[in-house]
Amino acid sequence: MPYLPSGFPDGAWLPDVVVELGEVFAAAGFELSLVGGPVRDLFLKRTSGDLDFTTDATPDEILATVEGFADAHWDIGRDFGTIGIRKAGTTLEITTYRAEAYDPSSRKPQVQFGDSLEDDLLRRDFTVNAMALRLPQFELVDPHGGIRDLFARLLRTPATPQESFSDDPLRMMRAARFAAQLGMNVADEVSQAMTEMAPRLEIISAERIQVELVKLINGAHPRTGVDLMVETGLADVVLPEIPALKRLDDEHARHKDVYQHSLQVLEQAADLETDDDGAVPGPDFILRFAALMHDVGKPKTRRFEPGGGVSFRHHDVVGAKMTRKRMQALKFDKNSIKAVSHLVELHMRFYGYGEQDWTDSAVRRYVTDAGDQLERLHRLTRSDVTTRNKKKAARLARAYDDLEDRIAELKEKEELAKIRPHLDGQQIMEILEISPGPQVGKAYKFLLDHRMEHGPVEHDEAVALLKEWAAQNL
């Protein structure tokens, strides 16, 4: 793997295929540059997951140039000037110099091919992504001060922010995403333009917004990204439930700041993610997004009580419905929607444990209701403790330690993850001599409830219980 020349961080390198591709294009008489994120990541000493190139060759010329070099190619992005290839197991994307502009009423870019690298870089989103490495000679091209801004941790745009965000409004979401991923600050003029132009996000497809939101939430500094979205008004378009928490401020301090609490829970949940071989490998979008959304039902359920207190009864149930609706609007897949909304609905289930004795039945139901989200629920519940009262925090931590210990003990004795009724549907029909139908379901539910309440029983006892129940209910 070739190491880069002086001027780059010690040990910075690129895969051989990058240099080989540059030589292929040079031999064919075309310019080729590595561009954007991969160049930025070289200076951050990070390995980039993408290898993007830009060239003066047209899509047809790109295809002709890589013929015989690429192991495979695809042209699904041809209308946008992009050709993808695979070489020695590495995926590369090559795009003709271009300039994109959005029609104010359209979600689709109007593609215009350019004729120089400098013009191409001018149209890119941020200066830190507007750097290129000419190949194969390794010449760095940085006309907009990307390196300076990168080390200053500052997000600026090559053109004016208004021009940049007009070309592609999704870039405003990318600003928040880069703030979350790289811990960067946003230049004042960029923040101002985001605030002025936030409504332009409405023309962007939900699918594209979803991709940026996931990257933001999974970033190293998700709180920073969410806060920037709220402060600039992007969240009013993308995730209005979160700024609504900020508007829940109570000038009489009868309840805590729900917005800041939610951001802290998000941070604490991320801190509780485990290593790649652990129960909840990070970054885990499901856990983090549930942490952010867990209290979104509070604005709709806030009630001022006669004694001066405040209640949020059933905010967990209301919040789960709101979360499901928002994720559907953002076109998330059904499994993600189910997992996040389920965690939001269950996040209050633990409270009260330690103040009252939980029966084995209650513990079984806690585990069974959590299902495959139990490990995430453990972490969400622990993250939801943000009190500054150290005694209260310690008491809740001890109580949850105790609950987890009881779950482990019951799991060992009863295989809680596999809880089923004492008898299955086929056995129920044979014992009661009935056909498939609602009666089987009722009998199944009775046996499952008995299993939850009393634990496992022997087969003969289960048969007797079923017959006794049937004599009174069928």
Side-chain angles (χ1 to χ4, degrees), residues 15 72 80 136 154 164 187 197 247 288 295 320 451:
F80 298 95
L154 186 66
S164 182
M197 301 179 68
R247 292 190 286 270
R288 292 184 181 203
D295 273 348
R451 170 74 171 81

Side-chain angles (χ1 to χ4, degrees), residues 48-82:
S48 181
D50 301 311
L51 289 174
D52 298 323
F53 302 83
T54 189
T55 178
D56 59 344
T58 66
D60 287 342
E61 291 169 336
I62 295 172
L63 286 170
T65 301
V66 300
E67 185 176 357
F69 171 79
D71 298 329
H73 75 269
W74 52 94
D75 59 0
I76 191 171
R78 186 174 187 152
D79 290 345
F80 298 95
T82 300

Side-chain angles (χ1 to χ4, degrees), residues 221-233:
H221 313 276
R223 181 174 190 155
T224 300
V226 173
D227 214 22
L228 181 59
M229 285 180 61
V230 171
E231 292 300 323
T232 57

Side-chain angles (χ1 to χ4, degrees), residues 27 31 53 61 80 103 152 177 187 203 227 235 270 341 344-345 354-355 367 371:
E31 298 176 0
F53 302 83
E61 291 169 336
F80 298 95
D103 182 277
R177 187 245 290 185
I203 72 168
D227 214 22
S341 59
V344 172
E345 186 172 2
E355 297 177 0
V367 173

